[in-house]
Amino acid sequence: MTLFNNKRLDKKLFAIDVERMQLGWYSDAYFINIFNILETLAKENYTFQGISDIKEINEKLVNTGDLKVEMQFFTRRKPFSLIAGVDESLAILEDCTGYFDENNQFINTYEQLEVEAIQDGTFAFYAGDPQNVQPVLKVRGRYRDIAKLETPILGALTEASRVATNVYNVLEATQGKDVLFFPARFTHYKLQALHGYAYSLAVQAYNHKHNKNSSTFVSTDDQGDWWGGKGGGTVAHSAIACFLGDTAETMAQFSRIIPIEVPRIALVDFHNDCVGDTLLVMEKMFEKYWQYYSEGNLEEAKKYKLFAVRSDTSGSMRDISVEPLGAEELDLGVNPRLVWNMRKAIDHAYLRWNIPAPARDLAITWCKDVKIVVTGGFNVEKIKKFEKLQVPVDIYGVGSSLLENCSYHGSGNDFTADIVRVFIGDQWYPMAKVGRTHCNNPNLELIKG
């Protein structure tokens, strides 16, 4: 299934290190070795001197150094991958296919290739049979011109598809609830744009497949760079520390100063008392809200509309509101009982307030509109447990698990590239290691050739 508008990313976004890519700087050394061998053989006008697996040809007429091949790239993640990294792979091919001449000038031979590729954001399936795969990229051309590019292309496909597929699986687990993309601190900053793009593809793919309307929330501007998103967020524990531990005052000043389009989400676990700090924040925020609302200043009142509260309780801590049962999985961290405690407190917070009668109905709605965001150690398995128990979580914040290699799906997130055919004379002949073969994918599109 191909998604969206069939537009590919501008290759300038990838900021590819073209000069060093052409030199093989990012390539496994054995690809440099085969390139050097083939280049030398081409200069020597060498013809094949061995015994070919292809019996119907005259192998003595094969110029090995200039052999034209067909390569196919495919995922080995079971049962499927949401593919990303194709557009970057195409950019690598376009700028880095070729060789250096005797004057050490790079000769780009991309125009001599035939290339087919699927769209980023397309599903590819793998049932575990390497003879029945769905290639996401096919390249036909002189092998020595593309030998150095296999490593970076496989890396681009693997990294982006791993994150996209992980995010998609998380969205399946949440049943379409919004997922805050929080892995920036768990990887090198240069990967933020790639990861954020993969995340955006996953949200679009999930919405498209399930007719949902999940939103995108990234935490840094770079995560949104390739697709037009902007980083968003509210407060960190360090902000509360700067306000000497007063979470309510932190949120009051945040709401006064930060533009209204930024959701007001209070982080409420600073004192390991999520219920207590939630109630303090809500009381202070509604007091300001009602003040401006009653004056008719609705725009200023909107600044104090609390969007959500977030618990990030450490997995080694038991929140004050959670009565101990003697089992870590039931007592510690962000657990279902804590979230239920928070929901009950949020919905009935207005009963504690000394407010005039005209404010009561407004306060009831204001409280019920407050959402609950949970973060800290959430992955597919934990989210599924919460959803099965119908825990009243509105938004999940997920971080490091979105970057993990999901080995429980068989072969992890590996991508593989194989030569599957060679061109001799005027026709293609099968040529692949045992267990691999030439395969097709109906979602492949002709890029050039």
Side-chain angles (χ1 to χ4, degrees), residues 69 89 120 186-188 230 232 247 260 280 319 338 434 447 449:
V69 305
S89 299
D120 278 343
F186 302 113
T187 189
H188 196 281
K230 295 290 292 182
T247 303
I260 188 62
L280 290 173
D319 186 89
L338 172 57
V434 174
I447 304 301

Side-chain angles (χ1 to χ4, degrees), residues 312-352:
D312 191 45
T313 305
S314 167
S316 62
M317 302 285 289
R318 177 175 60 83
D319 186 89
I320 291 172
S321 73
V322 176
E323 296 183 5
L325 295 177
E328 289 187 358
E329 66 274 13
L330 298 176
D331 293 348
L332 306 184
V334 182
N335 60 69
R337 291 192 295 142
L338 172 57
V339 179
W340 279 111
N341 290 344
M342 292 172 65
R343 186 72 262 169
K344 183 178 180 180
I346 291 168
D347 289 345
H348 299 96
Y350 67 94
L351 296 174
R352 301 161 46 95

Side-chain angles (χ1 to χ4, degrees), residues 37 58 104-105 177 205 268 291 305 321 339 351 361 427:
I37 292 169
N58 181 354
N104 206 31
Q105 296 296 311
K177 292 179 179 178
V268 294
Q291 174 190 331
K305 185 75 164 65
S321 73
V339 179
L351 296 174
D361 288 343
Q427 68 182 83

Side-chain angles (χ1 to χ4, degrees), residues 266-285:
L267 183 58
V268 294
D269 63 278
F270 191 85
H271 300 102
N272 200 40
D273 182 10
C274 288
V275 170
D277 275 358
T278 292
L279 292 174
L280 290 173
V281 169
M282 290 180 68
E283 184 170 11
K284 190 157 194 168
M285 292 279 284

Side-chain angles (χ1 to χ4, degrees), residues 364-404:
I364 292 172
T365 301
W366 191 94
C367 291
K368 290 189 178 299
D369 285 346
V370 175
K371 301 181 185 298
I372 295 179
V373 180
V374 293
T375 56
F378 279 87
N379 55 23
V380 168
E381 289 72 25
K382 187 173 181 178
I383 291 170
K384 284 183 176 178
K385 290 178 181 177
F386 271 56
E387 290 300 300
K388 183 178 181 180
L389 295 171
Q390 297 184 311
V391 181
V393 172
D394 297 291
I395 301 172
Y396 291 93
V398 188
S400 60
S401 71
L402 296 177
L403 308 181
E404 292 175 354

Side-chain angles (χ1 to χ4, degrees), residues 22 48 64 71 81 89 105 126 150 179 186 190 209-210 251 283 287 313 317 322 374 386 393 416 425 431:
Q22 293 170 347
F48 182 70
T64 303
M71 295 193 70
S81 290
S89 299
Q105 296 296 311
Y126 178 63
E150 182 171 335
V179 173
F186 302 113
K190 289 183 179 179
K209 184 174 181 179
H210 296 280
M251 286 307 301
E283 184 170 11
E287 180 182 355
T313 305
M317 302 285 289
V322 176
V374 293
F386 271 56
V393 172
T416 294
M431 179 55 61

